[in-house]
């Protein structure tokens, strides 16, 4: 769910400027990169801030205040949820669902660079906007047996959809020699971005591949990814659909956090099912 707020950035700049990673200005692109790739780059493209919402009353109706958080963890009010989104957010935040929310705020607009029709570097300045992305997830970290984990997956509508597709093709799959899928060559790289007035940020990027014994056909594979230790505990388990072509498909993970507050992650992978594509 994405919310857009048009604001004057200078109202908040003195409170959040320490959070900006200067290397991301114009996303690190040189003029030569912009001209060669014919791209349009905004001033703070790729910079992510934490955000949150809080229930309130606005115009005598239930609403939610939207906040941006600086590197010190201080909150600054940047707007209200549009009236048309209130009911949807209220449904997601229903206590009976037991879901938690993660908010990400991005600054868009401002100074921009792009390659003009004449092949020269052009500059323009647009109105600043705060783009707020809200994600809701299940953060239940209590011990669960296999039956409980399976029940947790079944509660997600997109897993139901995948299972329906799998069951439709199960009869045809049984007539053929079942392919074998394995996760191989998975490795994690570490990147550190240093700040002058704040804790350094650590990024862990994991990459690997799903290898299939059948290299003549292509498959859509449903894999369960579980964070066993370290990493970012906000998303400790999720599923991913991976396209396997000519016997191989790519799988990736991403974790980030402040230095001293995050350790190198360890993952377990489980193949839940697959279908053969035409």
């Amino acid at each position: 769910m994405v919310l857009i707020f048009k604001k004057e950035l200078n109202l908040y700049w003195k409170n959040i400027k320490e959070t900006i990673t200067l290397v991301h200005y114009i996303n690190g692109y040189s003029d030569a990169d912009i001209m060669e790739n014919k791209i349009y780059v905004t001033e703070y493209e790729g910079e992510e801030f934490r955000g949150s919402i809080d229930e309130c009353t606005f115009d005598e109706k239930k609403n939610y205040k939207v906040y941006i958080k600086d590197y010190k963890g201080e909150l600054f009010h940047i707007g209200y949820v549009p009236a048309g989104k209130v009911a949807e957010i209220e449904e997601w935040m229903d206590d009976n669902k037991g879901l938690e929310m993660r908010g990400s705020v991005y600054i868009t607009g401002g100074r921009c660079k792009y390659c003009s029709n004449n092949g020269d570097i052009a500059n323009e300045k647009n109105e600043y906007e705060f783009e707020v992305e809200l994600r809701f997830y299940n953060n239940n970290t209590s011990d669960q047996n296999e039956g409980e984990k399976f029940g947790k997956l079944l509660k997600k509508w997109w897993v139901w959809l995948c299972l329906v597709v799998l069951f439709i093709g199960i009869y045809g799959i049984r007539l053929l020699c079942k392919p074998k899928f394995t996760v191989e060559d998975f490795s994690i790289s570490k990147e550190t971005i240093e700040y002058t007035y704040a804790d350094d940020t650590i990024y862990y990027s994991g990459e690997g591949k799903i290898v299939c014994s059948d290299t003549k056909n292509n498959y859509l594979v449903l894999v369960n990814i579980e964070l066993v230790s370290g990493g970012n505990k906000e998303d400790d388990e999720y599923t991913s659909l991976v396209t396997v072509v000519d016997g191989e498909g790519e799988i990736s993970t991403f974790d980030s956090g402040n230095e001293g507050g995050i350790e190198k992650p360890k993952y377990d992978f489980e193949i839940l099912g697959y279908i053969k594509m035409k």
Side-chain angles (χ1 to χ4, degrees):
M1 181 184 304
V2 177
L3 311 174
I4 304 296
F5 300 92
K6 294 184 178 181
K7 293 285 183 179
E8 288 294 335
L9 188 63
N10 57 13
L11 296 176
Y12 307 92
W13 186 245
K14 65 179 181 180
N15 297 313
I16 64 175
K17 63 180 179 180
E18 298 289 355
T19 314
I20 294 291
T21 307
L22 295 180
V23 72
H24 283 301
Y25 175 70
I26 305 298
N27 208 21
Y29 287 106
S30 66
D31 289 355
D33 293 331
I34 295 173
M35 293 179 65
E36 179 180 355
N37 297 290
K38 302 294 190 295
I39 54 178
Y40 184 97
V41 189
T42 59
E43 186 172 357
Y44 298 110
E45 186 170 332
E47 275 297 344
E48 179 182 359
F49 299 86
R50 295 272 63 82
S52 65
I53 61 176
D54 190 22
E55 184 177 326
C56 68
T57 300
F58 182 69
D59 285 343
E60 300 182 352
K61 295 180 181 179
K62 182 176 180 178
N63 204 301
Y64 296 91
K65 284 185 176 181
V66 181
Y67 295 91
I68 188 174
K69 183 184 296 185
D70 69 5
Y71 78 102
K72 294 181 180 179
E74 297 180 359
L75 297 174
F76 300 93
H77 179 213
I78 60 174
Y80 294 88
V81 170
K85 295 285 187 178
V86 172
E88 183 178 355
I89 292 179
E90 184 177 12
E91 181 180 352
W92 278 105
M93 296 187 70
D94 185 349
D95 291 339
N96 294 327
K97 290 186 176 182
L99 299 178
E100 295 190 25
M101 187 204 72
R102 178 181 177 89
S104 299
V105 183
Y106 303 90
I107 299 175
T108 61
R111 288 173 288 179
C112 309
K113 282 188 176 183
Y114 62 96
C115 183
S116 69
N117 293 333
N118 297 326
D120 300 324
I121 289 293
N123 296 272
E124 66 180 24
K125 186 171 183 179
N126 300 318
E127 185 175 5
Y128 286 107
E129 293 182 350
F130 290 108
E131 182 177 296
V132 182
E133 180 183 282
L134 302 179
R135 287 172 285 172
F136 297 88
Y137 59 94
N138 192 330
N139 196 31
N140 183 8
T141 58
S142 61
D143 293 336
Q144 296 174 314
N145 57 36
E146 293 301 319
E148 289 173 329
K149 289 183 179 180
F150 187 69
K152 178 181 176 181
L153 291 174
L154 293 182
K155 293 179 181 179
K156 300 178 181 179
W157 66 267
W158 40 271
V159 176
W160 273 109
L161 179 60
C162 293
L163 290 176
V164 169
V165 176
L166 292 175
F167 283 129
I168 291 175
I170 196 168
Y171 180 75
I173 293 175
R174 286 179 176 176
L175 298 177
L176 302 174
C177 204
K178 290 186 178 181
K180 181 180 179 182
F181 297 90
T182 57
V183 177
E184 299 180 6
D185 300 331
F186 182 78
S187 61
I188 296 177
S189 60
K190 177 182 178 182
E191 179 184 5
T192 302
I193 296 182
E194 299 180 352
Y195 295 91
T196 303
Y197 302 103
D199 293 336
D200 296 343
T201 300
I202 308 296
Y203 297 91
Y204 289 104
S205 300
E207 294 184 351
K209 57 186 179 181
I210 294 181
V211 177
C212 179
S213 59
D214 178 7
T215 60
K216 296 181 179 180
N217 297 295
N218 302 326
Y219 295 89
L220 189 63
V221 180
L222 182 64
V223 57
N224 188 63
I225 303 174
E226 181 180 5
L227 179 62
V228 178
S229 62
N232 187 342
K233 290 295 185 180
E234 293 181 350
D235 298 304
D236 61 340
E237 186 174 5
Y238 57 95
T239 57
S240 178
L241 283 173
V242 179
T243 302
V244 176
V245 179
D246 296 332
E248 286 191 6
E250 296 181 353
I251 189 170
S252 62
T253 63
F254 180 80
D255 296 85
S256 65
N258 293 334
E259 186 175 32
I262 186 172
E263 297 179 356
K264 184 176 180 179
K266 180 180 179 182
Y267 287 93
D268 277 346
F269 303 93
E270 179 184 5
I271 305 299
L272 300 178
Y274 58 89
I275 57 173
K276 186 172 70 173
M277 298 186 294
K278 293 183 180 180

